[in-house]
Amino acid sequence: MLKAAKIVVLPGDGIGPEVAAAAVRVLKAVTGSSGLQLELAEGWIGGSALDRCGEPLDPKSLDLCREADAIFLGAVGGPQWEHLPGPKRPEAGLLRLRKELGVFANLRPFRSRPSLYARTPYRDEVLAGVDTILVRELTGGIYFGAKGSDGEKAFDECVYTRTEIERITRVAGQLARARGKKLCSIDKANVMETSRLWRKTVTELMASEFPDVAVQHILVDAAAMYLAQKPARFDVILTENMFGDILSDQASTLAGSLGLLPSASLSAEGPGLYEPVHGSAPDIAGTGRANPVGAILSMALLLRHSLKAEVLAQQLEAAVERVLADGPWTAEIAPHAFASTHEVTEAILGALKV
Ligand code: NAD
């Protein structure tokens, strides 16, 4: 018999447990008769870990994660823990988890859907055909460089090595090869040394390992403009940590709701970490208004990237698309006639059977 896939679920805080429960139900349903066995375990991160063990990442849960095939996370944070010092805040648990797992490649797919055009600030012709994956380097660059301040002067050092750039380029190159064979690398090579190394390394590696993929380089300021003006021109975007952080939030506005967006964070060979892009949304926690789609689509990415179950990933995504096309929708999408988290999850479970 095949070994069961070990998946650790970290529900976290706020709407995290609500969307995690929905995503686990859908994962169980889609794998049910497929022969893919799952071994699910639950762990503690964020405020829920602080309340249980005084640390934002429960050490036993971290051990479980290290031995898992994949990790699913709901969301962390909330007002009740905001007074705590930096290293004790819920978000510190998530940063530590990403670092411990070495998940350097953050994949954020985003797309437009005609049924949701009206929920965005863009015109229909701008949104038509948007279907992109943004690949963000997650463990290097300015967020991880030396920092300092004497109160009058402050600095944040930005460092990238050729090796760090090569490994993220390979991830983006493979994705581009499997999709439209178009890669757009975003940097600030007219000003920054790290960007000049980035551009040179991407150019060389793509030419030698992915000669079948067309590569374009765009400066980050121009990329921000194109993302709002002509987003459909992008297929796979590759960029460094801070530019990816900013551009992925901008890109999320094209989808119509933060609650729809999934993400995957991949390491060289260890388990991947999958989480919806949104936070713990304390304003709607406990009201049944959380959109479960970002979490459910994150499970599709888990099936694809960690369990290599592409057919199941596509079945799940097709079921979600059927529901997003005709409803039911949660309140942030359909404020006057909305369905609950439970009802949208039921609709997706129903669409899986079609
Ligand atoms: P947020 O993403 O939680 O919420 C922003 C807005 O989007 C809110 O109005 C919220 O109601 C809405 N929203 C978010 N997810 C939704 C969903 N699934 N369905 C419907 N509406 C949804 O961001 P915030 O309010 O800035 O932060 C709240 C807390 O979450 C903070 O403690 C923050 O640090 C934390 N946070 C955690 C993560 C994470 O766990 N990865 C990411 C971002 C923020």
Side-chain angles (χ1 to χ4, degrees):
M1 204 174 98
L2 280 176
K3 210 164 79 33
K6 283 190 193 169
I7 297 171
V8 176
V9 178
L10 305 171
D13 311 316
I15 63 168
E18 300 166 33
V19 297
V24 167
R25 278 188 73 198
V26 175
L27 179 71
K28 284 182 179 165
V30 75
T31 52
S33 56
S34 69
L36 179 62
Q37 302 291 316
L38 302 177
E39 189 184 312
L40 292 160
E42 195 164 280
W44 309 100
I45 192 168
S48 62
L50 281 161
D51 291 349
R52 282 175 85 93
C53 67
E55 293 293 327
L57 178 58
D58 166 42
K60 288 199 186 97
S61 302
L62 176 59
D63 289 343
L64 272 180
C65 290
R66 284 201 183 99
E67 284 159 24
D69 293 300
I71 297 133
F72 176 88
L73 184 132
V76 297
Q80 57 273 56
W81 302 287
E82 260 164 27
H83 64 282
L84 294 169
K88 284 278 179 197
R89 287 175 65 117
E91 295 77 6
L94 179 53
L95 290 181
R96 166 125 195 262
L97 180 66
R98 287 176 178 160
K99 194 164 171 227
E100 293 282 343
L101 297 174
V103 285
F104 67 88
N106 183 226
L107 275 44
R108 290 186 173 201
F110 58 91
R111 62 186 304 176
S112 61
R113 299 170 176 94
S115 59
L116 305 182
Y117 282 0
R119 302 305 310 164
T120 78
Y122 303 95
R123 292 191 312 275
D124 290 6
E125 59 267 31
V126 171
L127 294 166
V130 173
D131 180 3
T132 305
I133 296 189
L134 188 144
V135 181
R136 167 187 168 196
E137 202 291 327
L138 198 61
T139 53
I142 199 161
Y143 294 171
F144 288 87
K147 305 175 182 303
S149 173
D150 62 7
E152 293 302 316
K153 190 173 134 195
F155 69 94
D156 298 276
E157 194 178 43
C158 184
V159 180
Y160 266 112
T161 65
R162 180 178 280 276
T163 311
E164 284 173 321
I165 302 167
E166 282 176 349
R167 67 180 182 176
I168 190 76
T169 303
R170 273 192 194 100
V171 172
Q174 274 151 10
L175 284 168
R177 178 171 276 163
R179 290 170 52 102
K181 296 195 166 40
K182 262 170 58 186
L183 178 75
C184 178
S185 175
I186 294 173
D187 61 38
K188 189 71 182 166
N190 55 342
V191 178
M192 295 174 68
E193 281 300 335
T194 42
S195 279
R196 284 193 269 275
L197 179 65
W198 182 278
R199 191 174 283 212
K200 184 169 185 293
T201 307
V202 171
T203 304
E204 289 171 3
L205 187 131
M206 291 302 295
S208 68
E209 297 185 22
F210 300 91
D212 51 324
V213 174
V215 182
Q216 190 186 21
H217 301 274
I218 306 187
L219 296 175
V220 63
D221 36 349
M225 184 184 69
Y226 292 134
L227 258 180
Q229 264 182 354
K230 282 176 105 181
R233 65 177 280 166
F234 296 108
D235 185 15
V236 176
I237 294 174
L238 165 64
T239 193
E240 57 103 271
N241 202 343
M242 184 167 70
F243 299 158
D245 192 8
I246 298 166
L247 292 178
S248 60
D249 268 32
Q250 189 190 336
S252 74
T253 63
L254 295 156
S257 164
L258 191 56
L260 297 173
L261 296 163
S263 80
S265 300
L266 309 178
S267 65
E269 43 196 33
L273 173 64
Y274 301 85
E275 45 181 322
V277 166
H278 62 76
S280 61
D283 55 334
I284 56 165
T287 67
R289 289 180 171 221
N291 191 332
V293 166
I296 290 170
L297 288 177
S298 300
M299 283 298 192
L301 296 180
L302 182 154
L303 286 164
R304 172 170 297 128
H305 294 288
S306 284
L307 306 191
K308 309 294 176 210
E310 178 61 30
V311 172
L312 298 182
Q314 284 184 18
Q315 276 172 14
L316 203 169
E317 286 167 346
V320 168
E321 290 309 320
R322 277 199 281 277
V323 171
L324 287 179
D326 297 324
W329 299 287
T330 41
E332 88 288 7
I333 292 174
H336 302 299
F338 64 88
S340 65
T341 310
H342 179 75
E343 286 163 337
V344 172
T345 308
E346 286 292 329
I348 292 170
L349 289 167
L352 266 179
K353 295 185 194 132
V354 175

